[in-house]
């Protein structure tokens, strides 16, 4: 207890610094995939992508990030047995933050495929095993988290498959693709706004003292969906038929309708990323702050302070504007093969899946879900060629990142413990 | 520190295999386009020009070959494609054999200063016209691949392409009857012609007929895409 009392401020400062370091890493790297899809299909410029990311990452973290933060903060480890020595949990959370940040940095430097989500879970488990004991890990919860890593890409893929099929049925496989595209596009944009806002609103804003009933949530979500549909309609209205391009490619004009629509999925994607990845990053920080501010109570469940969510969002934005935009450009250049309509389907499917996972408190990987969504498009015979070797890299990233995070967390845990006690 | 993307996401996307197939077909078609002027020069016995056109065909054929080679090298079997990989490789090889036939015709005319027997001219023109028609149809089919991909090789586009394929089939049948007639004509006049020339005329007619057979093969290959 006296360690907490004498070093409390230092711990909070360390947690803030490590947390910023880690979210900076997420912004510098992880975000590029989520937004690169829109940049790659030429739907938005890099400048707009950054502005969208800044606004919607914050919005996602603040409005929908609380549940995932809660899982990271108190869902993975059961600290009941160390109720009298809260400093262990503080060291552990700091070590987990540092381990993930370092692992992300090493991976970014070497270009290895990793997932932030997986490394933070690995780090927490690693620390808990050596710091408290294997029985302190809530293995059941870990099981459901790991299961979600398999289920979420499948879900993203299924949704994108169905979306591609629907665009064919309603738009492309008709006599007048352009007219139908303009007719149905606002409906698709409505779906983007409606799903994201409904999932977020439905009993999800308790931490902002807004508790809406089912009916209220539905009404607000419908209104929000209509608003986005209207804005979408304003953009889509201006799309003109391009006869020259249509001669070369029959569906060129209809595809052009989807370009402004990707603006909305880019927003949804940034929102989803904020709701899950930012929340992942700040979970340990939130845990440290709540232990210190309550004077060493490891079991307490005080609400998540808003400044922590803002800090996480800030770190991501910092990472994005310092290094992330360059990675985003590289990623964007490589995925020009994704036409606007397919990019739209993949992003909408991924964003919806991530937001639903966030709502249930599951820490998932945005990139992996996006990969699943792209595969869904491929299985609908909608893409020229998808290189399946990438799937192997992804499985390796799952397998390697968990122990890597765990071992680094163990190392940092003992280092911190040695320094402070 | 050099920051690289840590997610292999971008590596998922490969360029569409249909683009090189279309590019290849356009080159093959350019080869075929040189055949009527080549024979026209032969009618006029302008052997300078025959050589010029023949060289052009040989050049285009080797360009097409390069695309075919590059295509094969960039088709690992880890790709998720909307069509069967083997069918795609066979398609480009069928297209390539059209260019090979054009090259063979050009070479015969390069090595031998041939003369067109007068009775053959009328029906030979018919054959050339038919060959051009079927080549245009085959090229148009390949140009539909983008559209087919957009709708998943189903629906209206599938029907449209199926009809185009039947059109190619009919043209091929039509060309078969022309070849029958041209060979009959050649047989009727072969007593009065130089025997060695006659041998080469039979060969040239078979090569020209081969173009329409291969064009039909290309169309049949495309039918496999639709039936997957």
């Amino acid at each position: 207890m006296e360690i907490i009392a004498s070093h409390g401020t230092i711990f909070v400062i360390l947690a803030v610094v490590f947390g910023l370091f880690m979210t900076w890493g997420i912004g510098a790297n992880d975000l590029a995939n989520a937004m690169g899809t829109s940049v790659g299909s030429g739907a938005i410029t890099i400048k707009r992508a950054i502005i969208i990311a800044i606004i919607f990452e914050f919005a996602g973290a603040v409005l929908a990030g609380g549940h995932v933060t809660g899982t990271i903060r108190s869902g993975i480890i059961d600290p009941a047995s160390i109720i009298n020595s809260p400093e262990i949990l503080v060291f552990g959370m700091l070590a987990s933050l540092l381990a993930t940040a370092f692992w992300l940095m090493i991976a970014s430097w070497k270009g290895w495929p990793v997932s932030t989500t997986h490394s933070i879970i690995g780090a927490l488990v690693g620390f808990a095993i050596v710091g408290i004991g294997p029985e302190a890990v809530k293995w059941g919860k870990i099981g459901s988290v790991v299961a979600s890593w398999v289920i979420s890409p499948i879900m993203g893929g299924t949704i994108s498959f169905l979306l591609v099929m629907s665009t064919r049925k309603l738009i492309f496989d008709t006599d007048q693709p352009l007219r139908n595209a303009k007719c149905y596009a606002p409906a698709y944009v409505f779906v983007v706004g409606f799903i994201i806002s409904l999932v977020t609103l439905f009993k999800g804003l308790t931490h902002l003292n807004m508790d809406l009933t089912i009916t209220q949530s539905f009404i607000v979500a419908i209104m929000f969906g209509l608003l986005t549909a209207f804005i979408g309609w304003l953009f889509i209205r201006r799309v003109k038929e391009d006869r020259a391009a249509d001669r070369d490619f029959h569906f060129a004009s209809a595809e052009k309708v989807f370009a402004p629509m990707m603006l909305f999925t880019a927003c949804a994607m940034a929102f989803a990323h904020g709701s899950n990845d930012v929340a992942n990053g700040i979970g340990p920080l939130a845990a440290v702050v709540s232990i210190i501010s309550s004077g060493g109570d490891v079991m307490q469940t005080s609400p998540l302070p808003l400044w922590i969510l803002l800090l996480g969002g800030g770190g991501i934005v910092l990472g994005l504007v310092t290094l992330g935009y360059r990675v985003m450009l590289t990623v964007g250049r490589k995925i020009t093969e994704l036409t606007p309509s397919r990019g739209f389907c993949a992003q909408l499917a991924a964003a919806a899946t991530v937001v639903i996972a966030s709502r249930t408190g599951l820490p998932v990987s945005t990139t992996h879900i996006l990969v699943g969504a792209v595969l869904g498009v491929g299985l609908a015979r909608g893409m020229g060629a998808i290189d399946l070797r990438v799937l192997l890299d992804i499985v390796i990233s799952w397998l390697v990142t968990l122990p890597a995070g765990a071992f680094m967390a163990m190392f940092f845990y003992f280092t911190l413990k040695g320094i402070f006690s | 520190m050099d920051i690289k993307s840590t997610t292999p996401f971008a590596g998922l996307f490969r360029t569409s295999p249909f683009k090189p197939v279309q590019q290849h077909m356009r080159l093959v078609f350019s080869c075929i386009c040189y055949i009527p002027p080549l024979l026209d020069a032969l009618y006029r016995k302008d052997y300078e020009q025959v050589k010029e056109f023949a060289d052009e065909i040989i050049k285009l054929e080797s360009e097409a070959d390069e695309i075919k080679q590059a295509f094969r090298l960039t088709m690992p079997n880890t790709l998720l494609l909307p069509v069967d990989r083997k069918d795609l490789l066979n398609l480009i090889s069928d297209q390539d054999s059209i260019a090979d036939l054009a090259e063979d015709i050009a070479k015969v005319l390069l090595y031998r200063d041939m003369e067109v027997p007068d009775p053959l001219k009328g029906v030979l023109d018919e054959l050339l016209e038919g060959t051009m028609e079927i080549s245009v149809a085959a090229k148009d089919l390949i140009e539909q691949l983008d559209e087919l991909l957009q709708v998943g090789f189903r629906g209206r586009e599938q029907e449209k392409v199926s009809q185009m394929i039947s059109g190619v089939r009919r043209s091929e049948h039509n060309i078969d009857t022309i070849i029958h007639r041209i060979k009959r004509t050649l047989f009727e006049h072969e007593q009065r012609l130089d025997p060695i020339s006659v041998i080469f005329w039979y060969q040239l007619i078979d090569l020209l007929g081969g173009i329409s057979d291969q064009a039909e093969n290309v169309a049949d290959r495309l039918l496999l895409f639709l039936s997957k």
Side-chain angles (χ1 to χ4, degrees):
Chain A
M1 283 291 184
E2 57 275 17
I3 294 176
I4 296 281
S6 53
H7 297 293
T9 324
I10 297 175
F11 289 146
V12 171
I13 292 169
L14 279 178
V16 166
V17 172
F18 295 168
L20 263 179
F21 182 25
M22 197 196 123
T23 47
W24 173 83
I26 299 176
N29 206 314
D30 202 40
L31 186 55
N33 297 315
M35 304 291 289
T37 324
S38 305
V39 177
S41 65
I44 53 172
T45 59
I46 193 88
K47 217 179 199 170
R48 279 193 191 163
I50 290 174
I51 294 168
I52 287 173
I54 291 173
I55 297 169
F56 287 90
E57 285 282 337
F58 269 114
V62 174
L63 297 176
H67 300 279
V68 178
T69 308
T71 302
I72 301 283
R73 185 160 78 145
S74 53
I76 307 285
I77 299 166
D78 179 13
S81 59
I82 50 160
I83 209 148
N84 291 319
S85 40
E87 71 278 3
I88 291 179
L89 198 58
V90 172
F91 293 146
M93 288 295 176
L94 286 174
S96 300
L97 271 181
L98 203 55
T100 310
F102 261 100
W103 179 238
L104 262 186
M105 207 178 77
I106 294 169
S108 300
W109 176 38
K110 293 282 187 188
W112 292 335
V114 291
S115 154
T116 327
T117 312
H118 300 173
S119 56
I120 200 140
I121 300 287
L124 286 171
V125 172
F127 139 72
I129 289 173
V130 295
I132 313 174
E135 70 284 351
V137 180
K138 293 180 182 167
W139 294 106
K141 184 74 190 172
I142 300 282
S144 67
V145 167
V146 172
S148 78
W149 294 344
V150 180
I151 295 163
S152 61
I154 294 174
M155 186 174 155
T158 312
I159 298 175
S160 73
F161 180 92
L162 295 174
L163 279 171
V164 169
M165 288 307 198
S166 78
T167 60
R168 275 181 193 152
K169 188 105 192 118
L170 298 174
I171 296 168
F172 294 115
D173 189 17
T174 58
D175 287 328
Q176 289 171 303
L178 176 64
R179 225 193 77 188
N180 286 326
K182 282 188 162 184
C183 170
Y184 288 109
Y188 279 107
V189 177
F190 173 83
V191 171
V192 179
F194 176 73
I195 290 187
I196 304 290
S197 54
L198 182 68
V199 174
T200 310
L201 289 169
F202 182 51
K203 290 195 174 174
L205 298 180
T206 326
H207 63 291
L208 297 177
N209 299 321
M210 273 172 70
D211 217 347
L212 302 176
T213 63
I214 300 177
T215 336
Q216 283 170 325
S217 304
F218 259 97
I219 291 167
V220 177
I222 287 172
M223 274 165 33
F224 191 76
L226 288 175
L227 178 70
T228 48
F230 176 69
I231 301 170
W233 177 75
L234 290 179
F235 282 112
I236 292 154
R237 210 169 44 130
R238 283 185 289 180
V239 176
K240 290 270 180 303
E241 188 177 9
D242 187 347
R243 282 176 193 277
D246 278 352
R247 253 199 302 282
D248 195 30
F249 179 55
H250 192 53
F251 303 109
S253 290
E255 273 290 347
K256 265 171 54 184
V257 174
F258 280 90
M261 284 160 74
M262 282 195 79
L263 200 69
F264 295 93
T265 49
C267 298
M269 209 62 209
F271 185 89
H273 188 261
S275 76
N276 209 294
D277 292 70
V278 176
N280 279 331
I282 57 168
L285 167 60
V288 171
V289 169
S290 78
I291 293 166
I292 307 287
S293 61
S294 66
D297 178 9
V298 296
M299 302 300 282
Q300 59 79 44
T301 49
S302 61
L304 182 65
L306 198 62
W307 68 267
I308 293 182
L309 285 165
L310 291 173
L311 186 96
I316 293 221
V317 169
L318 198 67
L320 180 65
V321 293
T322 50
L323 283 169
Y325 72 97
R326 280 213 317 246
V327 181
M328 200 190 285
L329 272 180
T330 323
V331 171
R333 256 198 298 274
K334 284 186 185 165
I335 54 184
T336 46
E337 284 296 312
L338 205 58
T339 60
S341 73
R342 277 67 199 271
F344 175 83
C345 295
Q347 273 200 327
L348 174 53
T353 309
V354 175
V355 170
I356 290 169
S358 301
R359 185 61 193 78
T360 49
L362 287 168
V364 291
S365 165
T366 311
T367 304
H368 294 181
I369 294 172
L370 199 52
V371 168
V374 170
L375 282 181
V377 178
L379 289 173
R381 298 178 89 182
M383 284 204 51
I386 296 175
D387 197 340
L388 294 179
R389 267 179 299 194
V390 171
L391 289 185
L392 188 70
D393 286 346
I394 287 170
V395 174
I396 290 171
S397 91
W398 279 3
L399 298 179
V400 171
T401 302
L402 286 169
F407 285 120
M408 286 182 87
M410 290 173 189
F411 171 75
F412 285 123
Y413 169 71
F414 287 120
T415 311
L416 285 167
K417 205 175 158 188
I419 293 172
F420 288 101
S421 46
Chain B
M1 193 176 87
D2 188 22
I3 287 274
K4 293 174 197 150
S5 174
T6 58
T7 39
F9 180 65
L12 207 60
F13 299 90
R14 300 283 294 252
T15 42
S16 166
F18 299 128
K19 277 179 196 148
V21 167
Q22 289 176 331
Q23 205 189 345
H24 182 265
M25 192 62 191
R26 282 173 208 138
L27 273 175
V28 169
F29 182 68
S30 324
C31 279
I32 302 297
C33 284
Y34 273 103
I35 289 183
L38 178 76
L39 284 164
D40 187 56
L42 192 70
Y43 280 18
R44 288 182 277 112
K45 294 182 197 166
D46 183 347
Y47 297 111
E48 286 275 308
Q49 225 174 27
V50 167
K51 186 183 176 315
E52 217 172 274
F53 290 138
D55 285 344
E56 200 61 42
I57 289 175
I58 291 165
K59 202 188 95 205
L60 285 168
E61 194 276 339
S62 62
E63 273 176 48
D65 253 353
E66 275 166 36
I67 293 181
K68 186 188 74 179
Q69 294 299 346
F71 181 74
R72 286 186 172 163
L73 288 174
T74 53
M75 289 288 287
N77 52 16
T78 53
L79 295 183
L80 172 67
L81 298 164
V83 296
D84 194 82
R85 173 172 168 270
K86 260 193 207 132
D87 290 339
L88 208 53
L89 289 170
N90 285 331
L91 174 68
I92 203 163
S93 136
D94 281 345
Q95 290 181 178
D96 205 58
S97 47
I98 297 180
D100 288 340
L101 286 166
E103 193 194 23
D104 289 342
I105 293 169
K107 278 183 175 163
V108 169
L109 298 183
L110 263 188
Y111 304 147
R112 297 191 87 247
D113 287 346
M114 307 265 291
E115 274 181 41
V116 189
D118 282 328
L120 226 53
K121 280 181 180 168
V123 68
L124 187 62
D125 280 340
E126 255 183 82
L127 176 62
L128 283 175
E129 205 177 299
T131 305
M132 281 314 291
E133 212 171 90
I134 199 168
S135 305
V136 171
K139 177 181 154 280
D140 285 348
L141 265 182
I142 299 299
E143 296 290 355
Q144 290 296 313
L145 280 172
D146 297 322
E147 277 83 357
L148 277 171
L149 178 65
Q150 187 83 5
V151 293
F153 299 83
R154 286 279 175 270
R156 276 151 225 258
E157 194 64 33
Q158 181 196 21
E159 277 162 34
K160 182 178 159 192
V161 171
S162 299
Q163 275 171 12
M164 289 167 85
I165 291 172
S166 319
V168 171
R169 285 240 176 90
R170 274 196 302 277
S171 300
E172 200 275 336
H173 183 73
N174 191 23
I175 288 171
D176 274 349
T177 61
I178 298 176
I179 289 183
H180 179 80
R181 274 192 285 134
I182 200 170
K183 282 191 176 167
R184 276 310 298 183
T185 319
L186 190 58
F187 171 72
E188 279 156 19
H189 296 86
E190 65 184 22
Q191 296 304 324
R192 272 159 286 158
L193 299 168
D194 168 39
I196 299 177
S197 277
V198 170
I199 292 172
F200 277 94
W201 271 114
Y202 275 117
Q203 199 191 336
L204 279 174
I205 291 162
D206 282 338
L207 288 171
L208 277 166
I211 291 175
S212 63
D213 288 339
Q214 281 304 327
E216 194 194 15
N217 284 348
V218 166
D220 281 345
R221 228 30 110 176
L222 218 65
L223 198 61
L224 289 176
F225 292 177
L226 302 181
S227 63
K228 186 187 165 187

